[in-house]
Amino acid sequence: MATADDPTTTLGLLWDGPSRPRRGPRHHLTVDALVGAALEIAEQEGVDALSMRGLAARLGVGAATLYTYVPDKSALIALMVDTMIGEAPLPHTRPGDWRERVEAWARENLRAYREHPWLVRLMGAAQPVGPHAFAWTDSALRVFDGTGLTGHEALTVVEAVDGYTRGHVAKAVEADRAARWTTPDGRTWDTVQDAFLEAHAEPGRYPAIERLTGAPGTEEVFEAGLAWLLDGVAQGIRERAAG
Amino acid sequence: MATADDPTTTLGLLWDGPSRPRRGPRHHLTVDALVGAALEIAEQEGVDALSMRGLAARLGVGAATLYTYVPDKSALIALMVDTMIGEAPLPHTRPGDWRERVEAWARENLRAYREHPWLVRLMGAAQPVGPHAFAWTDSALRVFDGTGLTGHEALTVVEAVDGYTRGHVAKAVEADRAARWTTPDGRTWDTVQDAFLEAHAEPGRYPAIERLTGAPGTEEVFEAGLAWLLDGVAQGIRERAAG
DNA sequence: CGACTCATCGAACAGTGTACGGAGTTCTCG
DNA sequence: CGAGAACTCCGTACACTGTTCGATGAGTCG
């Protein structure tokens, strides 16, 4: 198989699927089987445990065999990501007006990312656009049909909301992991950190933080920010309709 | 030095600095020198090139020596991140009203992240809060002094804007990297991808995307989304002042 | 001066992604 | 129908990674 380092091969795999050669012995596995097993590993053991050797072992083949299905690990990851995107419901098929649909999709994405935290890390690297990602964006754009926004404006809104969601997801995933962490003797992350800060921040050094009576949860921040963002968008749509 | 895996040691390094032992030979290096050299490597060669062996070689010492300064690589990274945060201007010292200050800090953060793309990846992992991060948050909260918002509400705004910025940064960094990429024969990423999509997306499959006449740039999306978000916040502040 | 503590670092361990080359299988073409 | 091309499979190897161990010797305190 062609050596990559060049995402063209990966794009071909994403959009065309594997190319069946004319000569030579048959494959015993399929690319889908690789991706499925890789997703299982990521889901069960986390993304750090996803190695080519481990994946090969799970499938009962030698490590080098995988390279006849996939040019390299990054291509496998691109396939995993696009597969996950394919499981997201298409925004334009949801009920309600544009705002209800946007809220639903943003919450759904947040939920999906938090349920599959490994996705957040894998999406960090630049990804070639796969068919499912493309279809999702198309669907998201259609949510704004009838609002009077141009395609360009609709895409701006989609990207803004998506960016907002992704940023929160990164923070939420960190918070989730910290919440699950404990010292060997059972103290939580918050306990350790708070004790540390209390011992080290002399009074008056951080006046605004001292005045705080409690931090908002990630859910609360997400909902508030989403509401503000969509208030702004709604106002833009109203002004355009009036002008 | 104490084995970590437990961020308590890292927190100590962040807040107290290195602890000078009473007996034994002197250190030839300092933790600051490690962090400085690590920052240079990240800046010049990217985060993937940052290895303990490479760092040790740059400092002219053996790889194992580093572990007398720092419990492990993650602690080093925490120190790098907090150092970078320390270089950001404090929001409450900027001129203007709350909105101008927020806009300035959001743009500044976006710029800094794009200039140091490795930071985006390093911040992806959960980080213990360092003194500079703490000071920055305190300063950001003070921007809302006099707006009538409670500390809780101000923190919600800060986190929402920060989350928004981080999400965009991730996308912008990906876009920057893709923009810099070319095939051996000189074609750009966009050319390759567009050619591929044109060849593979039959007409009518992606109606909304077909209707597009051009995609908004990351800058344009960022500014539009920020304006919407702050419009929403401003309305919240007005309503609170009125009610 | 001993006793103790600690910095330094070569070597080793358990991993990683991936290239290579040989063995065996399947299809195509003369 | 048989020769050889094309291909899968995979043991082995390479160049890495972060980190631990143990030996050596430097520095300091009683």
Side-chain angles (χ1 to χ4, degrees):
Chain A
M1 185 133 284
T3 51
D5 175 34
D6 169 4
T8 310
T9 326
T10 306
L11 279 168
L13 215 44
L14 278 166
W15 286 87
D16 299 327
S19 54
R20 179 97 170 60
R22 314 226 144 263
R23 268 181 271 262
R26 300 250 167 82
H27 267 139
H28 298 162
L29 266 35
T30 62
V31 173
D32 281 353
L34 293 217
V35 174
L39 288 172
E40 280 179 32
I41 293 175
E43 211 68 57
Q44 294 164 10
E45 304 172 49
V47 69
D48 289 323
L50 177 62
S51 73
M52 297 302 265
R53 280 176 172 82
L55 176 59
R58 174 177 285 242
L59 292 165
V61 299
T65 301
L66 301 181
Y67 291 86
T68 61
Y69 294 85
V70 138
D72 58 16
K73 194 182 184 181
S74 74
L76 179 71
I77 289 175
L79 290 166
M80 290 169 71
V81 170
D82 202 62
T83 302
M84 291 304 291
I85 293 176
E87 291 188 2
L90 291 178
H92 83 276
T93 63
R94 292 181 184 275
D97 63 10
W98 69 266
R99 180 160 185 161
E100 289 166 322
R101 288 168 161 179
V102 173
E103 285 171 351
W105 113 46
R107 290 191 190 114
E108 165 68 20
N109 284 3
L110 180 71
R111 189 200 55 73
Y113 278 122
R114 292 182 78 168
E115 247 169 62
H116 313 291
W118 53 270
L119 239 188
V120 180
R121 290 220 352 231
L122 293 192
M123 292 202 34
Q127 292 292 332
V129 176
H132 289 128
F134 219 61
W136 189 92
T137 300
D138 189 80
S139 171
L141 285 175
R142 290 209 250 167
V143 162
F144 297 92
D145 283 354
T147 57
L149 293 186
T150 65
H152 190 95
E153 289 164 335
L155 185 51
T156 307
V157 178
V158 170
E159 296 255 28
V161 174
D162 184 47
Y164 173 76
T165 307
R166 275 183 61 176
H168 265 284
V169 153
K171 302 180 81 162
V173 167
E174 288 168 28
D176 288 345
R177 183 157 20 149
R180 235 175 288 114
W181 182 90
T182 52
T183 52
D185 48 311
R187 288 175 303 155
T188 66
W189 172 268
D190 274 356
T191 314
V192 171
Q193 180 126 306
D194 286 354
F196 212 94
L197 294 176
E198 199 132 350
H200 288 76
E202 65 270 28
R205 186 165 167 199
Y206 303 115
I209 290 179
E210 280 169 34
R211 254 180 276 129
L212 283 178
T213 52
T218 55
E219 213 77 32
E220 184 182 344
V221 171
F222 179 77
E223 288 294 334
L226 183 62
W228 286 324
L229 187 57
L230 296 185
D231 283 350
V233 173
Q235 185 154 354
I237 290 178
R238 272 198 307 276
E239 281 167 11
R240 157 159 295 252
Chain B
M1 185 132 284
T3 51
D5 175 33
D6 169 2
T8 311
T9 326
T10 305
L11 279 168
L13 259 181
L14 278 166
W15 287 86
D16 299 326
S19 54
R20 176 99 168 61
R22 314 227 143 260
R23 269 180 273 265
R26 300 246 168 84
H27 265 139
H28 299 162
L29 266 35
T30 63
V31 173
D32 281 352
L34 294 216
V35 174
L39 289 173
E40 280 178 31
I41 294 176
E43 211 68 57
Q44 293 165 11
E45 304 172 48
V47 69
D48 288 323
L50 176 63
S51 72
M52 296 302 265
R53 279 177 173 82
L55 176 59
R58 174 177 284 242
L59 292 165
V61 299
T65 301
L66 301 181
Y67 291 87
T68 63
Y69 294 85
V70 138
D72 57 16
K73 194 183 185 182
S74 75
L76 179 70
I77 288 175
L79 290 166
M80 291 170 69
V81 170
D82 202 60
T83 302
M84 291 303 293
I85 293 176
E87 292 188 1
L90 291 178
H92 83 276
T93 63
R94 292 181 183 276
D97 63 8
W98 70 266
R99 181 161 185 161
E100 289 166 323
R101 288 167 161 181
V102 173
E103 284 170 350
W105 114 46
R107 289 190 190 116
E108 164 68 21
N109 283 4
L110 180 70
R111 190 198 56 72
Y113 278 122
R114 290 181 79 168
E115 245 168 63
H116 313 292
W118 52 271
L119 240 188
V120 180
R121 288 213 3 225
L122 294 191
M123 293 201 35
Q127 292 292 333
V129 175
H132 289 130
F134 218 61
W136 190 91
T137 301
D138 188 79
S139 171
L141 286 174
R142 288 210 251 166
V143 162
F144 297 92
D145 283 354
T147 58
L149 294 186
T150 65
H152 190 94
E153 289 163 336
L155 186 52
T156 306
V157 178
V158 170
E159 296 254 29
V161 173
D162 185 48
Y164 173 75
T165 307
R166 276 183 61 175
H168 266 284
V169 154
K171 301 180 82 162
V173 167
E174 288 169 29
D176 288 344
R177 182 158 21 150
R180 234 175 290 116
W181 183 90
T182 53
T183 53
D185 48 310
R187 289 174 303 155
T188 66
W189 172 270
D190 273 358
T191 313
V192 171
Q193 180 126 306
D194 287 355
F196 213 94
L197 294 177
E198 200 134 347
H200 288 76
E202 64 271 28
R205 187 165 166 199
Y206 303 114
I209 289 179
E210 280 169 36
R211 255 181 274 131
L212 283 178
T213 53
T218 56
E219 214 77 31
E220 182 182 345
V221 171
F222 179 77
E223 288 295 333
L226 183 61
W228 287 322
L229 186 56
L230 297 184
D231 282 349
V233 173
Q235 183 153 358
I237 290 179
R238 272 199 305 276
E239 281 167 10
R240 156 159 297 251

